[in-house]
Amino acid sequence: MRGRRGRGASSGDVVVSSSLSSVPRLVIAAPSSGSGKTTVATGLMAAFAARGLAVSPHKVGPDYIDPGYHALATGRVGRNLDAYLCGPELVGPLFLHGARGCDIAVVEGVMGMFDGAAGEGELASTAHVAKLLGAPVVLVVDASSQSRSVAALVHGFASWDPEVRVGGVVLNKVASDRHEELLREALDSAGVPVLGVLRRVAQVDTPSRHLGLVPVAERRAAAVEAVAAMAAQVSAGCDLEALAGLARSAGALSCAAWDAAEALASSPPPPLPVPTLGAAAPRPPLRPERPRPQTPDGLDCATRPRTPEGLVVAIAGGAAFTFSYAEHSELLAAAGAEVVPFDPLRDEQLPDGTRGLVIGGGFPEVYASELSANEPLRKAVAALAEGGAPVAAECAGLLYLCRELDGQPMCGVLDARARMSGRLTLGYRDAVAVGDSVLAPAGTRMRGHEFHRTVVEPGAGAAPAWGVRAPAPRVEGFVQQGVHASYLHTHWASEPGVARRFVERCRTS
C-alpha cells in the first residue's frame, strides 16, 4: 500500500509506506509507571493522524482505559496486546488485525519496560511484546529530578536485553533550556538519540481515581481537549520524521493477521450445555459472517445487516460500562450474532429481540445511584436471566447483577451483595472452569485478569464460575441457569469457542 502524505503536504510532512506484514511500528516504553508513556503515545498517535496518516493504536497488557484515549486520538478502535491473556503466539496476528489498512502503528507499553506477569519472567512485559513484534522501542524518561544520571539509566535499559532495540529516547518533564542542554550532553555518550524533549504542561494532565485514568466516555469534551494538548506538545517537542523513520526500520512479521471467522472455524466446537426444559429445538447454524469494518468506539454495530434470525446479543456500554475488548464483538458477529450496544444509564429496555447479554467491565460503583434509578432496565435484565437466556458478566457486570451495590438496589439476578473496599485486587489469574456454563465446558482453562476495589459477598455461588490457582487457591463467581458472572476479565481471542458456545446457547434458549 502506498504511504499517505499529510494534508497540505510539504517537505516537512511525515511520509510512511507499508504493507500489512511490514507495517511501520513503534513501541513506547518507560523505566517505570508515571514516566509519561500515555502522554507520548497518545500525543504521537494524534500527531501522526493530524498529518493524514492512518494510525493503528495498541496497548500492551489488559488495561481498558488507555485504549479509549488512543481511539480518540486516531479514530480507530484501541486494541490490547496481552501475551499472558492470549499467549505470545497471538500477539503478532492480533497486531496485524488491528493494523489492517494503516500506515503506521504506535504501541503503548505497560509499567516499566521489563515488568510483566509476576513470577513469569519477561512474559507480557513491554519488552516481550516489542520482541514479538520486532519493533523498535522509544524510551520515555522522566527527567525532572536528574541530569547526567540520565545517561546511566538509558544505557542500562538499552543494554539489559540485546534482543530489545531501544532506538531513541523522549525526555519528559524537562525544566528549562539549561536542563535540556545538560541532559543532551550526558546522552551523547549513551549512543541513544534524543527524539523528543517535552516540558511540563499542566493541561496535558488527565484526572485519575481509584483504578487509574478517568475513561474517555465519562469526560468526552475534556478528553478531546487533553488529547489535543498531548498532540500539540508532542508535535512541538518531538522529531516526527525521525520517529516515523525509526518505525519504518521494523521488519516484516512472518505471521498472518488474526481473523474472527477463521479463528472460529479453526477452533474445535465445544460441547453445548443441555438446553432448558421447553426450549425450542436448535436452529441450523449460520455460515459465519466476516466482521464489518471497525468503528472508533468498538461497539457501534448499527450498520451491520441483521442476521437472518435476528439473533441479537446486547452489549452494555456507556459511561458505566466502558471495558470491552473489540475482538469479543467481532467473534460474536462471526458466530452469527447481531451485536447491539445499549447504555444502562439511559436505556430503559434491552434492545429489541435480545437473546443474549454481555456486560463487561467499568465503573458501576461511580454510577450506582443512576443505575439503581433505572428500574425498568434492571427488571428487564432480571427477566431475561430468569428466562434462561445466556448472560456473560465480568467484574462491573458481576456487580450489576447483584442484589445491591453499596446499598443501592441492582438487578437481583445473583443472591449476593457488592460494596466498595479500600483494598486493590490486581493481577493475572490462571483459572479453570469448575462446571459447564454458557461460556465453557467444565475443565476449560483460561487466563484472566482482576482489577477492582470492590467486594462481592459471597464471593462464589453454589456453582462457581472459576477455580483460581494463584495467588491462593479459591473458587469465585457464579453460574446459574444461563448466567456466567465473575470478577475475571478474559480475552476470547485466546478461546474463540467461547463466543460460538454463547451464540449457540442464544439459539437454543
Side-chain angles (χ1 to χ4, degrees), residues 90-104:
L90 276 182
V91 168
L94 287 171
F95 167 80
L96 290 176
H97 170 61
R100 293 180 195 272
C102 287
D103 301 313
I104 193 168

Side-chain angles (χ1 to χ4, degrees), residues 71-164:
L72 201 58
T74 64
R76 294 178 63 89
V77 176
R79 295 180 182 268
N80 296 72
L81 300 172
D82 196 310
Y84 185 91
L85 292 184
C86 296
E89 69 280 358
L90 276 182
V91 168
L94 287 171
F95 167 80
L96 290 176
H97 170 61
R100 293 180 195 272
C102 287
D103 301 313
I104 193 168
V106 178
V107 181
E108 180 184 344
V110 62
M111 301 185 293
M113 186 164 78
F114 296 105
D115 302 326
E120 299 281 353
E122 71 171 4
L123 178 64
S125 67
T126 302
H128 186 206
V129 170
K131 290 196 286 187
L132 291 170
L133 296 179
V137 172
V138 175
L139 191 68
V140 180
V141 176
D142 179 349
S144 59
S145 300
Q146 58 185 315
S147 58
R148 190 165 180 266
S149 295
V150 73
L153 176 68
V154 172
H155 173 74
F157 273 82
S159 60
W160 177 261
D161 185 343
E163 294 183 44
V164 177

Side-chain angles (χ1 to χ4, degrees), residues 481-506:
Q481 293 184 283
V483 176
H484 185 286
S486 162
Y487 263 124
L488 262 62
H489 295 287
T490 58
H491 201 302
W492 293 1
S494 69
E495 192 68 44
V498 165
R500 176 172 48 216
R501 184 181 179 91
F502 187 86
V503 172
E504 287 299 324
R505 180 59 183 264
C506 290

